[in-house]
Structures are given as C-alpha cells and as structure tokens.
Amino acid sequence: MTYPLLDRYVASAKPSAEAWRVLVGLGLIGGFYFGALLGGMSAVGALFGPQTMSWVIRNMNAANTPVGLVMLLFSFAPLLLGTMLITRLLHNRPVLSLFGVGAGRDFVLVFPALVLAALLIAPLSGLDPHLAKSTSLSVMLAWLPLSLPLLFVQIASEELLFRGYVLQQIAARTRWRVLWMGIPAALFGALHYAPDMNGPVAIYVALWATAFGVLAADLTARAGNLGPALAFHLANNISAVLLVGIYGQLDGLSLYTLVINTRDPAAMAPYLAMDSLSMLVFWLLARLMLRR
C-alpha cells in the first residue's frame, strides 16, 4: 500500500524535523496544556472561591451532566492552541500546514456519510439488555449548538497533535510506516489507558484506541490532509458521546447509555466488539468516499 500524497503532507515539516525538536515540542505542548488547566482552575478559585473551583473540577471529572461534559470538552482548547503555537514558534511552520491541502474539502466529502452510518448503527445497541434511556432528545438538541463545536475542538486537538504534528514530524525523517503510523497511534492509545476507571479492561480500551489511531493515520496519509481523520474521529465521538454512551463515562448528553461494569472484561467484551465493528465501518466508508 502506497501513499503518494504523504510527501506533500509532510513537506513543511522537513526543515525542522530534528528528533530533539520534536521531543522538546511535545514537552512544551504538554506543559502549555497542563499549565493552562492549572491556571484556569486557579483563576476560578481566585474569582469565585474554592467551593466553586471544587464544583467545576468535580463536574468536569464526572462529565455526567450537560454542564460537566461541556466544560470537559472546552478543556481541550489549550491542547489545540498549544499544538498550533509550538508548530509556529518552534518549527517555524504555518499552522495550516498541520491540516494539509484540501482538509476542509475532504472533511465535507467524508463526514455526512459517516454521520449517517452512525445514526444507522446506533439502533443496534437496542439489542443490548443493559441499554437505558438517559438524556431527553429535547435537552440534547438544546445543548447541541454548544456541545457539537466543543466536541469538534476536542477531536481536533487530538488529531492535530497525533495525526498532524507527531505524524508529520516523524514521517519527515523516515518512511518506515511502523514509526510514522505506529508511534502516534501508540501515544494516542496510551492517552486512553485508564486503569483507575476501567481496571483490567483498561489495556483493551487502550489497544482499541491504538487501532483507531492506525486507521486515522491511514486516512490522513491516503488523503494527504487531516480532513478524513477529523471526520472519522468526530463521527465516532458523536456516536459514543451524544448517541449511545457508557454510564458514568462522558454521558452528560448521551441519549442512551449502557449500564455495565466497565471493569468487567466479560461485560465489556460485547461493547468493545461493537465499537470495533463501528470503527471499521466508518474507516471503510471514509476510504470509499475518498475514491469518489
């Protein structure tokens, strides 16, 4: 499998592709992100008091109410901004180079088909006896003008960092696929490793996220831009956050939730299998749309 558009996508990263620069860049992005979160929480505490700060932190961590979920999604904005700033200041690259040529066009080409697929797949969750109604449709729709853009901020921050910044900087140094495709995917998987929340199932969730990262990297390299990966990620998160979520995990605006023990491998196996199937359907459909 070849990716003729990959060279164009990574061209702007080649003049500043030193390994030390990428490592420093990742450290600065992480520092900017966590510094902004700590600074934001400190500002809330100073302006509104420690009780309000505790309330904000508690609701963001739970994300089981509309307000909590929206605040959590907004917290990804510093990651997005940090990636853009480091790309511009440390690598002397245009911020738009992270997206690649034609990203908007390919996003528009792919996204409607993936959302339609998500809407068609979601009713299959009704076969699960653990499915329960959660947020009313009227409430979800009322919050949609705010939650949908912030959901895009969340997925864009991750895509720009992993399939934009990291993939480009590695691919600018080597064409060995296991590196430019595998390292960003492994980092993305590690970000989703949460043993405190998922216990022994955490490793399987991380592996699922790693596989997601590989498929998103394939779409990015195939298109020569981030558009399809952004559509792929947004459609997946619309399905998991707004349509059918897991009880207690980012379910503040989910229409339905699966009430299962996320630390039980047997209980999570059907969910992960269904999620994996949906992911493959989205990926194949995105590839099909790119051929048009």
Side-chain angles (χ1 to χ4, degrees):
M1 185 185 299
T2 60
Y3 299 105
L5 297 178
L6 182 62
D7 279 336
R8 185 184 69 183
Y9 181 58
V10 306
S12 63
K14 290 182 178 180
S16 60
E18 301 92 341
W20 70 263
R21 198 185 296 265
V22 179
L23 293 174
V24 170
L26 287 173
L28 290 173
I29 291 170
F32 183 89
Y33 172 61
F34 289 110
L37 290 183
L38 289 174
M41 288 301 104
S42 298
V44 170
L47 291 172
F48 303 105
Q51 288 186 332
T52 300
M53 183 180 70
S54 297
W55 178 86
V56 170
I57 293 173
R58 186 167 60 251
N59 277 270
M60 283 178 60
N61 286 338
N64 58 359
T65 64
V67 173
L69 177 64
V70 162
M71 288 192 298
L72 178 65
L73 295 176
F74 180 73
S75 73
F76 282 84
L79 183 60
L80 182 67
L81 180 59
T83 302
M84 292 178 170
L85 285 174
I86 296 307
T87 299
R88 186 70 189 94
L89 299 178
L90 182 63
H91 295 271
N92 196 29
R93 292 172 48 193
V95 169
L96 289 179
S97 68
L98 289 168
F99 292 90
V101 177
R105 175 201 64 215
D106 287 346
F107 177 87
V108 172
L109 175 66
V110 171
F111 182 64
L114 299 191
V115 170
L116 179 60
L119 293 172
L120 292 175
I121 291 172
L124 295 177
S125 298
L127 300 174
D128 194 317
H130 302 101
L131 188 72
K133 188 169 177 56
S134 184
T135 307
S136 68
L137 180 61
S138 61
V139 170
M140 192 273 278
L141 291 176
W143 281 88
L144 199 61
L146 184 59
S147 63
L148 190 58
L150 289 179
L151 192 60
F152 183 81
V153 168
Q154 180 256 317
I155 66 99
S157 69
E158 295 180 349
E159 289 306 316
L160 255 69
L161 176 58
F162 295 108
R163 261 67 67 183
Y165 180 77
V166 179
L167 187 153
Q168 286 179 329
Q169 294 301 142
I170 295 175
R173 292 178 57 86
T174 177
R175 282 297 181 269
W176 198 18
R177 191 177 307 175
V178 71
L179 295 180
W180 63 258
M181 186 178 279
I183 291 177
L187 292 173
F188 185 68
L191 185 71
H192 289 77
Y193 181 67
D196 55 331
M197 181 183 296
N198 297 320
V201 179
I203 185 62
Y204 301 108
V205 175
L207 289 173
W208 179 93
T210 300
F212 181 96
V214 169
L215 299 183
D218 169 77
L219 293 175
T220 301
R222 182 173 297 277
N225 61 63
L226 267 186
L230 288 167
F232 179 53
H233 202 154
L234 184 58
N236 179 82
N237 282 23
I238 286 174
S239 176
V241 175
L242 299 180
L243 299 181
V244 182
I246 294 181
Y247 180 77
Q249 294 192 9
L250 308 181
D251 60 337
L253 283 172
S254 299
L255 290 176
Y256 294 88
T257 56
L258 291 170
V259 186
I260 54 178
N261 180 4
T262 59
R263 304 174 70 89
D264 180 2
M268 283 291 288
Y271 172 79
L272 289 174
M274 185 63 187
D275 227 24
S276 299
L277 179 61
S278 298
M279 176 175 66
L280 287 173
V281 168
F282 291 164
W283 172 65
L284 290 171
L285 185 55
R287 289 184 57 167
L288 180 63
M289 296 303 297
L290 288 174
R291 291 181 179 179
R292 297 183 62 181

Short mmCIF file of all heavy atoms in Angstrom, two decimals, residues 130-168:
data_model
loop_
_atom_site.label_atom_id
_atom_site.label_comp_id
_atom_site.label_asym_id
_atom_site.label_seq_id
_atom_site.Cartn_x
_atom_site.Cartn_y
_atom_site.Cartn_z
N HIS A 130 -28.71 -4.11 28.56
CA HIS A 130 -28.22 -3.13 29.53
C HIS A 130 -28.43 -1.69 29.07
O HIS A 130 -28.02 -0.76 29.76
CB HIS A 130 -26.72 -3.35 29.78
CG HIS A 130 -26.40 -4.73 30.29
ND1 HIS A 130 -25.89 -5.71 29.47
CD2 HIS A 130 -26.52 -5.28 31.52
CE1 HIS A 130 -25.70 -6.82 30.18
NE2 HIS A 130 -26.08 -6.59 31.41
N LEU A 131 -29.09 -1.51 27.94
CA LEU A 131 -29.31 -0.17 27.41
C LEU A 131 -30.41 0.53 28.20
O LEU A 131 -31.45 -0.06 28.49
CB LEU A 131 -29.68 -0.24 25.93
CG LEU A 131 -29.76 1.11 25.21
CD1 LEU A 131 -28.38 1.69 25.01
CD2 LEU A 131 -30.48 0.95 23.87
N ALA A 132 -30.17 1.79 28.54
CA ALA A 132 -31.17 2.58 29.27
C ALA A 132 -31.24 3.98 28.68
O ALA A 132 -30.25 4.51 28.19
CB ALA A 132 -30.79 2.66 30.75
N LYS A 133 -32.43 4.57 28.73
CA LYS A 133 -32.60 5.94 28.24
C LYS A 133 -31.92 6.89 29.21
O LYS A 133 -31.97 6.70 30.42
CB LYS A 133 -34.08 6.27 28.11
CG LYS A 133 -34.34 7.60 27.42
CD LYS A 133 -35.80 7.74 27.08
CE LYS A 133 -36.10 9.10 26.45
NZ LYS A 133 -35.27 9.36 25.26
N SER A 134 -31.28 7.92 28.67
CA SER A 134 -30.53 8.84 29.51
C SER A 134 -31.04 10.27 29.32
O SER A 134 -32.03 10.66 29.91
CB SER A 134 -29.04 8.74 29.20
OG SER A 134 -28.28 9.56 30.06
N THR A 135 -30.41 11.03 28.46
CA THR A 135 -30.81 12.43 28.23
C THR A 135 -31.98 12.49 27.24
O THR A 135 -32.00 11.75 26.26
CB THR A 135 -29.62 13.22 27.65
OG1 THR A 135 -28.49 13.06 28.51
CG2 THR A 135 -29.95 14.69 27.52
N SER A 136 -32.92 13.39 27.51
CA SER A 136 -34.04 13.54 26.57
C SER A 136 -33.54 14.19 25.29
O SER A 136 -32.56 14.95 25.27
CB SER A 136 -35.14 14.40 27.20
OG SER A 136 -34.69 15.74 27.35
N LEU A 137 -34.22 13.90 24.20
CA LEU A 137 -33.84 14.45 22.90
C LEU A 137 -33.89 15.98 22.92
O LEU A 137 -33.02 16.64 22.33
CB LEU A 137 -34.76 13.91 21.81
CG LEU A 137 -34.49 14.39 20.39
CD1 LEU A 137 -33.09 13.99 19.94
CD2 LEU A 137 -35.54 13.85 19.42
N SER A 138 -34.88 16.53 23.58
CA SER A 138 -35.02 17.99 23.62
C SER A 138 -33.83 18.64 24.32
O SER A 138 -33.33 19.69 23.90
CB SER A 138 -36.32 18.39 24.32
OG SER A 138 -36.34 17.92 25.66
N VAL A 139 -33.36 18.03 25.40
CA VAL A 139 -32.21 18.57 26.14
C VAL A 139 -30.94 18.43 25.29
O VAL A 139 -30.14 19.37 25.19
CB VAL A 139 -32.03 17.85 27.49
CG1 VAL A 139 -30.70 18.23 28.14
CG2 VAL A 139 -33.18 18.18 28.42
N MET A 140 -30.75 17.28 24.68
CA MET A 140 -29.56 17.08 23.85
C MET A 140 -29.52 18.08 22.71
O MET A 140 -28.48 18.67 22.41
CB MET A 140 -29.53 15.64 23.31
CG MET A 140 -28.17 15.25 22.68
SD MET A 140 -28.05 15.71 20.94
CE MET A 140 -28.92 14.33 20.18
N LEU A 141 -30.67 18.29 22.05
CA LEU A 141 -30.73 19.23 20.93
C LEU A 141 -30.53 20.68 21.41
O LEU A 141 -29.92 21.49 20.69
CB LEU A 141 -32.06 19.11 20.20
CG LEU A 141 -32.27 17.80 19.42
CD1 LEU A 141 -33.67 17.77 18.82
CD2 LEU A 141 -31.22 17.63 18.34
N ALA A 142 -31.02 21.00 22.59
CA ALA A 142 -30.85 22.35 23.13
C ALA A 142 -29.38 22.66 23.38
O ALA A 142 -28.93 23.80 23.21
CB ALA A 142 -31.66 22.51 24.42
N TRP A 143 -28.61 21.65 23.79
CA TRP A 143 -27.19 21.83 24.07
C TRP A 143 -26.34 21.65 22.81
O TRP A 143 -25.14 21.96 22.84
CB TRP A 143 -26.73 20.85 25.14
CG TRP A 143 -27.09 21.27 26.53
CD1 TRP A 143 -28.23 21.00 27.20
CD2 TRP A 143 -26.27 22.04 27.41
NE1 TRP A 143 -28.20 21.56 28.46
CE2 TRP A 143 -27.00 22.20 28.61
CE3 TRP A 143 -25.01 22.62 27.31
CZ2 TRP A 143 -26.50 22.92 29.70
CZ3 TRP A 143 -24.50 23.34 28.40
CH2 TRP A 143 -25.24 23.49 29.57
N LEU A 144 -26.91 21.16 21.72
CA LEU A 144 -26.12 20.81 20.54
C LEU A 144 -25.35 22.00 19.94
O LEU A 144 -24.20 21.82 19.51
CB LEU A 144 -27.03 20.17 19.49
CG LEU A 144 -26.32 19.36 18.39
CD1 LEU A 144 -25.56 18.19 18.99
CD2 LEU A 144 -27.34 18.85 17.37
N PRO A 145 -25.93 23.21 19.89
CA PRO A 145 -25.16 24.33 19.32
C PRO A 145 -23.88 24.63 20.07
O PRO A 145 -22.96 25.24 19.51
CB PRO A 145 -26.15 25.51 19.42
CG PRO A 145 -27.50 24.88 19.42
CD PRO A 145 -27.32 23.60 20.20
N LEU A 146 -23.80 24.24 21.33
CA LEU A 146 -22.57 24.42 22.11
C LEU A 146 -21.74 23.14 22.17
O LEU A 146 -20.52 23.19 22.00
CB LEU A 146 -22.93 24.86 23.53
CG LEU A 146 -21.76 25.18 24.47
CD1 LEU A 146 -20.89 26.30 23.90
CD2 LEU A 146 -22.28 25.57 25.85
N SER A 147 -22.40 22.01 22.36
CA SER A 147 -21.66 20.76 22.56
C SER A 147 -20.99 20.28 21.27
O SER A 147 -19.87 19.74 21.32
CB SER A 147 -22.59 19.67 23.09
OG SER A 147 -23.62 19.35 22.18
N LEU A 148 -21.64 20.46 20.12
CA LEU A 148 -21.06 19.96 18.87
C LEU A 148 -19.78 20.70 18.48
O LEU A 148 -18.78 20.06 18.15
CB LEU A 148 -22.09 20.01 17.75
CG LEU A 148 -21.69 19.28 16.45
CD1 LEU A 148 -21.39 17.81 16.72
CD2 LEU A 148 -22.81 19.39 15.41
N PRO A 149 -19.76 22.05 18.52
CA PRO A 149 -18.49 22.73 18.25
C PRO A 149 -17.39 22.36 19.24
O PRO A 149 -16.22 22.23 18.85
CB PRO A 149 -18.85 24.22 18.35
CG PRO A 149 -20.31 24.27 18.08
CD PRO A 149 -20.87 23.01 18.66
N LEU A 150 -17.75 22.20 20.50
CA LEU A 150 -16.74 21.84 21.50
C LEU A 150 -16.29 20.40 21.33
O LEU A 150 -15.13 20.07 21.62
CB LEU A 150 -17.28 22.07 22.91
CG LEU A 150 -17.44 23.54 23.31
CD1 LEU A 150 -18.02 23.65 24.72
CD2 LEU A 150 -16.10 24.28 23.24
N LEU A 151 -17.18 19.53 20.86
CA LEU A 151 -16.76 18.17 20.54
C LEU A 151 -15.76 18.20 19.39
O LEU A 151 -14.79 17.42 19.38
CB LEU A 151 -17.98 17.32 20.17
CG LEU A 151 -17.77 15.80 20.07
CD1 LEU A 151 -17.30 15.22 21.39
CD2 LEU A 151 -19.05 15.12 19.62
N PHE A 152 -15.97 19.11 18.44
CA PHE A 152 -15.01 19.26 17.36
C PHE A 152 -13.67 19.78 17.89
O PHE A 152 -12.60 19.34 17.43
CB PHE A 152 -15.54 20.20 16.28
CG PHE A 152 -14.61 20.33 15.10
CD1 PHE A 152 -14.59 19.37 14.11
CD2 PHE A 152 -13.73 21.40 15.00
CE1 PHE A 152 -13.72 19.47 13.03
CE2 PHE A 152 -12.86 21.51 13.94
CZ PHE A 152 -12.85 20.54 12.94
N VAL A 153 -13.71 20.70 18.83
CA VAL A 153 -12.47 21.19 19.46
C VAL A 153 -11.71 20.03 20.10
O VAL A 153 -10.49 19.91 19.96
CB VAL A 153 -12.77 22.27 20.51
CG1 VAL A 153 -11.54 22.57 21.37
CG2 VAL A 153 -13.24 23.55 19.83
N GLN A 154 -12.44 19.16 20.78
CA GLN A 154 -11.81 18.01 21.44
C GLN A 154 -11.14 17.08 20.44
O GLN A 154 -9.97 16.72 20.59
CB GLN A 154 -12.84 17.25 22.26
CG GLN A 154 -12.28 16.04 23.01
CD GLN A 154 -12.66 14.72 22.33
OE1 GLN A 154 -13.79 14.54 21.92
NE2 GLN A 154 -11.71 13.82 22.24
N ILE A 155 -11.85 16.70 19.40
CA ILE A 155 -11.27 15.76 18.44
C ILE A 155 -10.18 16.44 17.60
O ILE A 155 -9.18 15.81 17.23
CB ILE A 155 -12.34 15.09 17.55
CG1 ILE A 155 -13.03 16.10 16.62
CG2 ILE A 155 -13.37 14.36 18.40
CD1 ILE A 155 -12.48 16.11 15.23
N ALA A 156 -10.36 17.73 17.30
CA ALA A 156 -9.36 18.45 16.51
C ALA A 156 -8.05 18.59 17.29
O ALA A 156 -6.97 18.50 16.71
CB ALA A 156 -9.88 19.82 16.10
N SER A 157 -8.15 18.81 18.60
CA SER A 157 -6.93 18.92 19.41
C SER A 157 -6.13 17.63 19.36
O SER A 157 -4.89 17.67 19.26
CB SER A 157 -7.29 19.27 20.86
OG SER A 157 -7.94 18.20 21.51
N GLU A 158 -6.81 16.50 19.41
CA GLU A 158 -6.11 15.21 19.36
C GLU A 158 -5.59 14.90 17.96
O GLU A 158 -4.47 14.40 17.80
CB GLU A 158 -7.05 14.10 19.86
CG GLU A 158 -7.42 14.26 21.33
CD GLU A 158 -8.35 13.17 21.83
OE1 GLU A 158 -8.89 12.41 20.99
OE2 GLU A 158 -8.55 13.07 23.05
N GLU A 159 -6.38 15.20 16.94
CA GLU A 159 -5.93 14.93 15.58
C GLU A 159 -4.76 15.82 15.18
O GLU A 159 -3.81 15.37 14.55
CB GLU A 159 -7.09 15.09 14.59
CG GLU A 159 -8.14 14.00 14.70
CD GLU A 159 -7.55 12.61 14.57
OE1 GLU A 159 -6.70 12.39 13.68
OE2 GLU A 159 -7.93 11.74 15.37
N LEU A 160 -4.81 17.10 15.53
CA LEU A 160 -3.71 17.99 15.19
C LEU A 160 -2.42 17.57 15.90
O LEU A 160 -1.33 17.70 15.32
CB LEU A 160 -4.06 19.43 15.54
CG LEU A 160 -4.41 20.31 14.34
CD1 LEU A 160 -5.72 19.88 13.72
CD2 LEU A 160 -4.46 21.78 14.73
N LEU A 161 -2.55 17.08 17.13
CA LEU A 161 -1.35 16.66 17.85
C LEU A 161 -0.80 15.34 17.31
O LEU A 161 0.39 15.26 16.97
CB LEU A 161 -1.67 16.51 19.34
CG LEU A 161 -0.53 15.96 20.22
CD1 LEU A 161 0.71 16.85 20.13
CD2 LEU A 161 -0.98 15.82 21.67
N PHE A 162 -1.65 14.33 17.19
CA PHE A 162 -1.16 12.98 16.87
C PHE A 162 -1.03 12.73 15.37
O PHE A 162 0.01 12.25 14.91
CB PHE A 162 -2.06 11.92 17.51
CG PHE A 162 -2.03 11.97 19.01
CD1 PHE A 162 -3.11 12.45 19.74
CD2 PHE A 162 -0.91 11.53 19.70
CE1 PHE A 162 -3.08 12.49 21.12
CE2 PHE A 162 -0.87 11.57 21.09
CZ PHE A 162 -1.95 12.06 21.80
N ARG A 163 -2.07 13.01 14.59
CA ARG A 163 -2.00 12.77 13.14
C ARG A 163 -1.51 13.99 12.38
O ARG A 163 -1.22 13.92 11.20
CB ARG A 163 -3.37 12.35 12.60
CG ARG A 163 -3.52 10.87 12.42
CD ARG A 163 -3.52 10.09 13.72
NE ARG A 163 -4.68 10.37 14.53
CZ ARG A 163 -4.89 9.85 15.74
NH1 ARG A 163 -3.99 9.02 16.28
NH2 ARG A 163 -5.97 10.14 16.44
N GLY A 164 -1.40 15.13 13.08
CA GLY A 164 -0.82 16.31 12.47
C GLY A 164 0.64 16.45 12.88
O GLY A 164 1.53 16.01 12.18
N TYR A 165 0.86 17.00 14.04
CA TYR A 165 2.22 17.32 14.50
C TYR A 165 3.14 16.10 14.57
O TYR A 165 4.20 16.06 13.92
CB TYR A 165 2.14 18.01 15.86
CG TYR A 165 3.47 18.38 16.45
CD1 TYR A 165 4.16 19.50 15.97
CD2 TYR A 165 4.06 17.63 17.46
CE1 TYR A 165 5.40 19.85 16.49
CE2 TYR A 165 5.29 17.97 18.00
CZ TYR A 165 5.95 19.08 17.51
OH TYR A 165 7.18 19.42 18.03
N VAL A 166 2.77 15.09 15.35
CA VAL A 166 3.67 13.95 15.56
C VAL A 166 3.88 13.16 14.28
O VAL A 166 5.01 12.83 13.91
CB VAL A 166 3.13 13.03 16.69
CG1 VAL A 166 4.06 11.83 16.88
CG2 VAL A 166 3.01 13.80 18.00
N LEU A 167 2.81 12.84 13.57
CA LEU A 167 2.94 12.06 12.33
C LEU A 167 3.80 12.80 11.31
O LEU A 167 4.70 12.21 10.69
CB LEU A 167 1.56 11.77 11.75
CG LEU A 167 1.48 10.83 10.55
CD1 LEU A 167 0.12 10.14 10.50
CD2 LEU A 167 1.71 11.56 9.22
N GLN A 168 3.55 14.08 11.13
CA GLN A 168 4.31 14.83 10.14
C GLN A 168 5.78 14.89 10.49
O GLN A 168 6.64 14.71 9.61
CB GLN A 168 3.74 16.25 10.01
CG GLN A 168 2.43 16.33 9.26
CD GLN A 168 1.91 17.75 9.19
OE1 GLN A 168 2.15 18.56 10.08
NE2 GLN A 168 1.19 18.07 8.13
#
